[in-house]
Amino acid sequence: MTTRARRWAGLAVLAFALVYPLPALAADVVKMGELPSISNVGLYIAIDKGYFQARGITVEIEPFASGAKMVPALATGQLDVAIGTPSAGLYNAIAGGMDFKIVADKGQTRPGYNFTPLVVRKDLVDSGRVKSIKDLKGLKIASGAKGINFDYMLAKAEQQKVGVRLFLPEQTPAISTFQVAVIMYAAKFMKERPKVAREFLQAYVQGVKLYNQRGLKDPEVAGMISRHMKLPVETIQATFPPYVDGSARPRVQDLAAMQDWFHQMGWVKEKVPMEQVVDLTFLE
């Protein structure tokens, strides 16, 4: 082929590319189970600010009614990511051979922050029946289920003789700083797409950092949560903010303490070592 012919061939290829551009590389789809919650703020920000998209990730959200219902889908690889709170059921599932891991923090109690406030019936407060934590002794409380982290928190309040119930976790030193919510990965996701799994958490950490810089009262942050939770911005801004660790590292010692207590209560039959429960390598 002559030089002139090669030049014309090159121009023809260029013209074709301009008229028929090559398709962009497909984004990596990550399927995430969700329970709408303000503590999902880092994820919501990462989605709405394009942090996932910038790393070539498209997050497909699948809503669930409870964390327990996510576990089978996570264990079988139908979900890549799940969010929720540690429970007796979670430890039992791992002991039973279901393969998934806690990989990051999604929310903690810390002094000045909150996660699980107790709502007291208005007439009990208005009548003066309940004025302090000690006044709650002997009253009944509604709890979602047995073997959840809320049971652990109530037990720690009772052990310190402050009454059978409490208003805010920070009022009880044993749980004033405590791991509450986590992000979990399916084993299939970790083994088959480790790069995507790592990039997902890097994008998430970006979202967490923006939340920690601005807080819940920031109009943009509150607006993003509002869109995902379908609640008024004013409601979001008036809520006690959850604490989310800036590096997204969960408090493993708290996860171990919860399993120990669930075991003592008989809700966890066989304890599993924390290396079977937690994998923090995707945060590195």
Side-chain angles (χ1 to χ4, degrees):
M1 181 183 290
T2 65
T3 302
R4 184 175 181 182
R6 283 197 297 270
R7 186 180 300 131
W8 278 107
L11 290 173
V13 171
L14 177 60
F16 181 87
L18 292 173
V19 176
Y20 303 102
L22 295 174
L25 292 176
D28 285 293
V29 175
V30 173
K31 295 181 180 179
M32 182 180 79
E34 183 208 26
L35 290 170
S37 170
I38 289 177
S39 68
N40 295 348
V41 57
L43 294 162
Y44 294 155
I45 290 173
I47 291 169
D48 288 7
K49 295 289 283 184
Y51 299 157
F52 288 120
Q53 185 179 11
R55 294 174 180 272
I57 296 172
T58 295
V59 179
E60 288 187 357
I61 296 176
E62 185 174 343
F64 280 78
S66 71
K69 292 184 178 180
M70 286 190 211
V71 170
L74 186 68
T76 57
Q78 293 173 285
L79 289 177
D80 299 311
V81 180
I83 55 181
T85 57
S87 65
L90 182 146
Y91 296 108
N92 286 331
I94 295 173
M98 291 190 179
D99 201 355
F100 58 89
K101 295 284 196 303
I102 292 171
V103 296
D105 166 57
K106 193 184 73 72
Q108 304 174 18
T109 60
R110 291 285 180 99
Y113 296 84
N114 196 48
F115 203 102
T116 52
L118 180 70
V119 178
V120 179
R121 211 171 70 215
K122 189 174 185 299
D123 64 290
L124 293 174
V125 177
D126 291 344
S127 67
R129 168 67 178 81
V130 176
K131 296 179 181 178
S132 68
I133 294 176
K134 290 187 293 185
D135 297 329
L136 295 169
K137 187 173 183 178
L139 297 181
K140 294 180 179 180
I141 187 168
S143 181
K146 285 295 180 186
I148 59 176
N149 59 15
F150 193 47
D151 287 306
Y152 178 88
M153 292 182 173
L154 293 176
K156 287 299 177 183
E158 291 167 353
Q159 286 173 8
Q160 295 190 39
K161 308 299 182 184
V162 297
V164 296
R165 304 297 178 246
L166 68 163
F167 293 101
L168 299 175
E170 68 181 48
Q171 294 172 257
T172 304
I175 53 170
S176 61
T177 297
F178 200 77
Q179 188 67 48
V180 180
V182 294
I183 294 177
M184 297 169 281
Y185 276 179
K188 182 179 180 181
F189 182 48
M190 294 187 286
K191 292 172 183 175
E192 296 182 3
R193 297 193 289 164
K195 183 178 184 297
V196 179
R198 187 167 283 105
E199 292 286 344
F200 182 95
L201 285 186
Q202 294 305 311
Y204 167 64
V205 168
Q206 280 185 271
V208 169
K209 287 180 177 178
L210 189 144
Y211 162 66
N212 285 336
Q213 289 167 2
R214 298 189 186 179
L216 273 190
K217 293 190 182 298
D218 178 81
E220 186 181 17
V221 171
M224 287 184 274
I225 299 171
S226 171
R227 284 192 292 276
H228 284 271
M229 294 193 66
K230 297 178 173 57
L231 290 173
V233 169
E234 295 76 15
T235 301
I236 303 299
Q237 292 175 320
T239 303
F240 282 108
Y243 179 89
V244 187
D245 184 78
S247 61
R249 297 185 73 84
R251 290 171 51 87
V252 178
Q253 67 270 33
D254 295 342
L255 299 173
M258 267 194 285
Q259 180 181 221
D260 289 342
W261 187 76
F262 290 147
H263 182 67
Q264 291 172 18
M265 296 297 293
W267 298 333
V268 165
K269 301 301 180 184
E270 178 187 348
K271 292 201 297 183
V272 291
M274 279 299 106
E275 55 265 29
Q276 282 184 239
V277 178
V278 180
D279 185 343
L280 303 184
T281 60
F282 295 94
L283 286 171
E284 296 170 358

